[in-house]
């Protein structure tokens, strides 16, 4: 029997809204999460994506016990989140991109000391773990700086360290790279990859940055109006949406348009045909087969493959689900 880190069945959350003005007595019900079934095993890395208002943050709040489900069941790390929030806090680390768990006027180092005391970490273990996180996330230069004086990139790295200080089994990251520069994003992604590899940490990531999903997640769950409309791999997501891969072909000389190659669409030519783009459906053919056909008609000098744009793939999934 698998001990799931996240296990939900029929998970539903509704909100009641009152009207405004003359409609004050009128109530409407909004279903933010709609009978969600989600199983996440130990060590998995899952991207939980969808448009604003799709129900992602509401789901997270139920997973950690901040909200009570309207119906259905949820267990996180084998624990009922709402009934045993304090016990669950020792198993889960959460980072909200728009909120801080650090003390605003205190130096970063003191926030870590307070969190270690809250989690009742032994002194030696707390010092060892703090040192590890400080080194890996490059925090040394601003440990003595009050949190309010940190740049956004510095604060987010400190937030991740704070969430992982007690070695949680599950880390939930809600828009962790929002507003970060390219270098800060790269540092954070590399750290999370290392943390999963060395400690078997389970990761649930919500983000609008598709680079985060592509680099950090092995599995993707797409939600639309609170319903799961896709659950599988990134490659499978593109196939489910009917998205095509694109071959960018560079030739030694000007080349006539490569039309008529089976299961491909000629997207355009540049430099008198010396560079051409062919889209192909990976369900119907392979890049190798297409290249063999191209080689019979022209001398190929170089090539690259462009993968489908993930945001476009998600839009296609939404349209199909509706």
């Amino acid at each position: 029997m698998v001990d799931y880190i996240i296990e939900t069945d029929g998970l539903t959350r509704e909100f009641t809204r009152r009207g405004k003005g003359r409609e004050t007595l009128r109530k409407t019900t909004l279903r933010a999460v709609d009978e969600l079934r989600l199983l996440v095993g130990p060590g998995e890395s899952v991207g939980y994506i969808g448009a604003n208002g799709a129900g992602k943050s509401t789901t997270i709040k139920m997973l950690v016990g901040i909200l009570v489900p309207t119906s259905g069941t949820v267990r996180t790390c084998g624990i009922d989140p709402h009934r045993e929030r304090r016990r669950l806090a020792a198993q889960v680390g959460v980072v909200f991109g728009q909120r801080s768990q650090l003390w605003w006027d205190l130096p970063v180092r003191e926030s870590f000391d307070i969190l270690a005391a809250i989690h009742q970490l032994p002194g030696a273990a707390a010092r060892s773990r703090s040192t590890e996180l400080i080194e890996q996330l490059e925090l040394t230069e601003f440990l003595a700086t009050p949190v309010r004086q940190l740049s956004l990139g510095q604060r987010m790295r400190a937030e991740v360290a704070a969430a992982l200080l007690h070695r949680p089994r599950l880390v939930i990251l809600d828009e962790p790279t929002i507003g970060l520069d390219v270098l800060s994003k790269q540092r954070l992604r590399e750290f999370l990859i290392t943390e999963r590899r060395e400690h078997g940490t389970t990761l649930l990531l919500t983000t609008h940055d598709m680079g985060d999903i592509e680099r950090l997640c092995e599995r993707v769950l797409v939600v639309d109006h609170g319903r799961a409309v896709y659950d599988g791999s990134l490659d499978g997501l593109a196939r489910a949406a009917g998205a095509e891969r694109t071959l960018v072909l560079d030739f030694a000389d000007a080349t006539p348009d490569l039309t008529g190659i089976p299961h491909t669409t000629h997207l355009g030519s540049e430099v008198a045909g010396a560079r051409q783009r062919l889209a192909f459906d990976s369900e119907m053919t392979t890049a190798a087969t297409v290249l063999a056909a191209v080689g019979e008609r022209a001398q190929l000098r170089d090539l690259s493959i462009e993968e489908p744009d993930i945001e476009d793939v998600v839009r296609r999934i939404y349209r199909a689900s509706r």
Side-chain angles (χ1 to χ4, degrees), residues 65-319:
I66 296 173
L67 289 177
V68 183
T70 303
S71 61
T73 61
V74 54
R75 295 190 72 80
T76 306
C77 299
I79 297 169
D80 183 319
H82 182 67
R83 294 179 183 276
E84 299 180 88
R85 281 184 65 185
R86 183 170 295 183
R87 182 177 162 217
L88 180 62
Q91 305 288 328
V92 176
V94 184
V95 176
F96 289 102
Q98 306 285 9
R99 298 177 180 84
S100 178
Q101 61 188 316
L102 302 171
W103 278 261
W104 202 240
D105 293 311
L106 295 181
V108 174
R109 168 70 79 180
E110 292 188 26
S111 285
F112 289 175
D113 292 342
I114 293 171
L115 288 167
I118 289 173
H119 288 293
Q120 300 181 338
L121 299 179
R127 287 190 294 273
S128 174
R129 180 60 167 163
S130 293
T131 299
E132 178 186 6
L133 293 169
I134 288 166
E135 290 177 356
Q136 291 187 4
L137 285 165
E138 301 179 25
L139 309 181
T140 304
E141 65 182 70
F142 54 84
L143 280 177
T145 305
V147 172
R148 57 184 165 77
Q149 295 180 10
L150 300 180
S151 69
L152 180 58
Q154 290 172 333
R155 184 174 70 79
M156 288 310 303
R157 279 148 54 200
E159 293 282 359
V160 171
L164 290 165
L165 187 63
H166 57 296
R167 292 193 189 277
R169 297 174 65 196
L170 169 65
V171 177
I172 300 175
L173 304 176
D174 187 12
E175 299 288 358
T177 62
I178 189 168
L180 299 191
D181 59 56
V182 173
L183 182 58
S184 295
K185 286 183 182 182
Q186 182 62 21
R187 284 174 176 164
L188 190 52
R189 289 166 179 165
E190 288 176 353
F191 166 75
L192 291 170
I193 290 169
T194 301
E195 185 72 14
R196 282 192 61 227
R197 183 178 63 247
E198 294 184 354
H199 300 292
T201 308
T202 304
L203 176 66
L204 181 67
L205 172 69
T206 77
T207 181
H208 285 89
D209 189 324
M210 292 301 109
D212 289 344
I213 299 294
E214 291 170 335
R215 290 167 177 77
L216 295 174
C217 300
E218 300 156 351
R219 175 181 164 199
V220 183
L221 180 70
V222 181
V223 288
D224 182 25
H225 289 84
R227 294 181 298 110
V229 294
Y230 176 81
D231 185 358
S233 67
L234 262 178
D235 289 342
L237 178 63
R239 289 194 297 270
E244 296 180 320
R245 304 170 78 192
T246 300
L247 276 171
V248 181
L249 306 166
D250 290 322
F251 300 98
D253 302 297
T255 302
D257 288 351
L258 295 169
T259 57
I261 294 177
H263 309 300
T264 70
T265 302
H266 185 263
L267 300 180
S269 298
E270 304 171 29
V271 199
R275 166 169 287 189
Q276 300 190 33
R277 281 181 164 79
L278 290 179
F280 68 98
D281 184 346
S282 56
E283 289 282 284
M284 303 295 295
T285 189
T286 65
T289 301
V290 175
L291 288 173
V294 169
E296 294 177 356
R297 295 171 56 174
Q299 183 181 352
L300 189 63
R301 182 171 57 84
D302 198 5
L303 68 94
S304 61
I305 297 179
E306 295 178 348
E307 300 294 341
D309 179 80
I310 299 299
E311 292 181 346
D312 178 59
V313 170
V314 171
R315 283 192 292 270
R316 289 169 179 249
I317 290 285
Y318 276 2
R319 286 197 295 269

Side-chain angles (χ1 to χ4, degrees), residues 30-50:
L30 170 67
R31 180 166 285 196
V33 178
D34 190 1
E35 297 190 0
L36 179 68
R37 186 171 189 272
L38 176 60
L39 298 173
V40 177
E44 279 197 83
S45 179
V46 180
Y48 190 38
I49 62 178

